[in-house]
Amino acid sequence: MQKYKAKVSSHELLAGSFQYLHLELVNPDRIEFKAGQYIIFNIDPSRGLCRNYSIASQPTMDHAVELLVDIKPGGPGSEFLKNLQAGKEVEFIGPFGNFVVKDECLKRSDLAAARSDLNKFNQLLFVATGSGISPLRAMILDLLIVKKYQGQIRLWWGMRNQEDCFWTEDFDELEKDSPNFKWDLVLSNPPADWPLHSGHVTQHVLDYVQAQRSTLNAQRTTCFYLCGNKAMIDEVSTKLKETGITGEHIHTEKFF
């Protein structure tokens, strides 16, 4: 565990209630972390209130950390980060957490895989709701841009309203540049003319798993990374296990 001092260099409203903060490190001025890990702020020392926030930036940005915050809940943590304006100095500790892409999820090592480049890599499926996209974004950027991962990566991101959406152009560009990456935005409260996926991400993930069941089970190991509200994570985890996906291949991080 390391204590860090940082300065807020930018604080941006992305859309709706979602804000993005860039914290430039002051002392120490470098940080080592794995994509998916989080840091902890002591937001009210008098009451001992601490809050965890996943790092949204990729580990190669070691001079700063970036955070995605949904301020809509209006709790102590939301209020604390909402009021961090540019120039403000803050302290946090970290990094923490085991919600990272596991080595065993990246590459098969059995003889059958060694004989075939097609089956060399495992498949990674990411599912997020709301600000749960934060650690998954860091993981996906790290996999595609830094590690040059060649296995199939799928992302489903559930949001409520169209006006709350952000980073869509970034993910579209990433999909365009990376043939092995595909993502889908799912709105639970879409406008009448919404042309893309609607409903809840759970059903879309399960439909995909059912359609690809023989491939998922026979050709390569598939690892799931779920991050977002508790209801989504509990439902998706339960349904995946009912289809035969073992718990060791389902990794979760709940955002309350």
Side-chain angles (χ1 to χ4, degrees):
M1 181 186 73
Q2 174 72 51
K3 184 176 182 179
Y4 292 86
K5 289 185 178 180
K7 180 176 288 188
V8 181
S9 65
S10 64
H11 188 156
E12 176 187 3
L13 175 64
L14 296 179
S17 59
F18 295 94
Q19 301 187 4
Y20 202 65
L21 291 87
H22 180 101
L23 307 180
E24 194 71 25
L25 298 177
V26 175
N27 185 31
D29 61 1
R30 291 293 185 269
I31 184 172
E32 290 186 10
F33 66 94
K34 294 181 179 180
Q37 290 189 304
Y38 63 87
I39 57 177
I40 299 178
F41 291 93
N42 188 354
I43 62 172
D44 189 343
S46 65
R47 293 192 291 165
L49 284 180
C50 298
R51 291 294 184 271
N52 307 344
Y53 288 94
S54 293
I55 303 173
S57 46
Q58 60 196 79
T60 49
M61 182 191 290
D62 63 353
H63 60 87
V65 294
E66 295 183 335
L67 307 176
L68 172 65
V69 184
D70 181 5
I71 64 170
K72 188 175 182 179
S78 300
E79 290 299 309
F80 172 77
L81 292 180
K82 181 179 73 173
N83 293 322
L84 289 182
Q85 300 305 315
K88 176 74 172 179
E89 288 195 351
V90 294
E91 294 183 352
F92 62 84
I93 56 175
F96 299 99
N98 296 313
F99 185 64
V100 299
V101 177
K102 311 298 182 183
D103 289 342
E104 58 267 26
C105 286
L106 293 179
K107 192 172 183 179
R108 292 183 64 184
S109 59
D110 56 74
L111 293 177
R115 299 190 189 103
S116 171
D117 287 339
L118 177 64
N119 294 333
K120 184 177 181 181
F121 296 94
N122 291 329
Q123 182 174 201
L124 303 176
L125 304 186
F126 296 88
V127 187
T129 53
S131 58
I133 192 64
S134 181
L136 301 190
R137 174 182 184 254
M139 291 176 179
I140 292 169
L141 291 176
D142 187 49
L143 286 165
L144 293 175
I145 297 175
V146 180
K147 293 184 169 66
K148 307 297 183 183
Y149 183 71
Q150 298 299 306
Q152 186 177 3
I153 299 175
R154 290 291 305 262
L155 166 66
W156 287 271
W157 183 11
M159 296 287 281
R160 180 166 177 76
N161 303 307
Q162 184 178 9
E163 57 267 25
D164 293 330
C165 297
F166 54 93
W167 288 348
T168 56
E169 293 182 0
D170 294 343
F171 281 124
D172 284 344
E173 191 68 24
L174 193 61
E175 184 178 73
K176 180 181 177 182
D177 294 339
S178 306
N180 59 320
F181 172 65
K182 180 174 175 55
W183 85 289
D184 290 295
L185 178 65
V186 183
L187 292 187
S188 61
N189 186 37
D193 59 348
W194 178 248
L196 304 177
H197 295 293
S198 60
H200 295 284
V201 292
T202 302
Q203 192 57 53
H204 292 278
V205 174
L206 294 176
D207 288 346
Y208 176 82
V209 170
Q210 291 291 351
Q212 301 292 322
R213 190 165 186 176
S214 60
T215 301
L216 291 172
N217 291 337
Q219 289 188 358
R220 57 182 66 83
T221 298
T222 300
C223 292
F224 294 81
Y225 289 85
L226 319 177
C227 188
N229 67 69
K230 182 179 183 299
M232 179 277 286
I233 288 177
D234 289 346
E235 184 177 12
V236 173
S237 298
T238 298
K239 296 294 185 181
L240 288 177
K241 291 174 183 177
E242 289 175 356
T243 68
I245 305 295
T246 60
E248 66 184 30
H249 294 140
I250 304 172
H251 309 277
T252 65
E253 186 93 312
K254 295 178 181 178
F255 280 28
F256 293 91

